[in-house]
Amino acid sequence: IWIRDLASNSVRRLPSQSDHFELYPSWSRDGRSIVYTTWSDKDLGTVRVAPASGGAGRVVTQNPGHYIEPSFSPDGKTIVYRAIADGNLTTGLWSRNPGIYRVASAGGASTFVTDEGSSPQFGASNDRIFFRGREDTSTALKSVDLNGHEERTHLTSEWASDFEVSPD
């Protein structure tokens, strides 16, 4: 992960390491932290948080896995991410329960939210997780509460390929 300062045009690497690949970076709303996933063929993947000012990423997930699309809650206390199943090129280890999960940004045990959808994210508040799902033959913007209940469909589109919820 690289950060470019637009004023000075300087570029710096965020976590300085060569043990794994860094994928799917996402900023916290206050701009102080970046959440991202990692991948190593030997150690599998993690979800990590690094200070935007630089430094090593801190692992927040307890188990290795196949993780993508992490995103902070507005208050920065929760991270949602998607765990995916193994593919043809990666190991099947730690890939039995794909879906959307949440974990405290300080780290700890992850909580399963739903086995449906992709691109988990928050809107203006911390109480609902939005995601891209399906509604009949259309792509849908859906949401659930933090425990995967009270599912709502907010929007459907025959042509949309992704949705991004405004932070306000």
Side-chain angles (χ1 to χ4, degrees):
I1 298 172
W2 295 82
I3 296 177
R4 176 182 300 271
D5 182 281
L6 295 177
S8 67
N9 206 29
S10 63
V11 179
R12 64 182 165 82
R13 178 121 189 246
L14 182 64
S16 181
Q17 59 78 39
S18 59
D19 296 337
H20 52 260
F21 293 104
E22 300 143 1
L23 309 155
Y24 299 98
S26 180
W27 289 89
S28 63
R29 301 257 174 114
D30 65 8
R32 294 182 182 165
S33 301
I34 296 176
V35 62
Y36 61 98
T37 63
T38 64
W39 181 258
S40 161
D41 286 342
K42 176 183 170 210
D43 299 322
L44 304 181
T46 61
V47 176
R48 296 180 187 224
V49 173
S53 59
R58 175 180 42 82
V59 177
V60 297
T61 46
Q62 290 182 332
N63 297 315
H66 302 254
Y67 304 129
I68 62 175
E69 304 167 343
S71 181
F72 280 106
S73 62
D75 65 7
K77 294 179 180 178
T78 303
I79 295 168
V80 290
Y81 63 90
R82 187 161 60 113
I84 59 173
D86 64 308
N88 294 329
L89 299 176
T90 59
T91 178
L93 297 173
W94 294 100
S95 66
R96 294 185 97 174
N97 299 307
I100 295 174
Y101 289 78
R102 65 180 165 84
V103 66
S105 58
S110 294
T111 301
F112 175 79
V113 176
T114 180
D115 60 1
E116 179 187 358
S118 60
S119 300
Q121 57 190 289
F122 289 89
S125 64
N126 303 302
D127 62 341
R128 294 198 68 77
I129 300 168
F130 292 83
F131 59 92
R132 184 179 65 240
R134 301 290 304 165
E135 191 82 19
D136 298 320
T137 60
S138 296
T139 304
L141 175 64
K142 296 184 173 192
S143 71
V144 292
D145 68 16
L146 295 180
N147 295 312
H149 304 288
E150 299 177 27
E151 182 176 303
R152 298 178 193 158
T153 299
H154 301 277
L155 179 69
T156 60
S157 173
E158 185 178 344
W159 304 108
S161 59
D162 203 2
F163 297 102
E164 202 61 41
V165 178
S166 172
D168 64 358

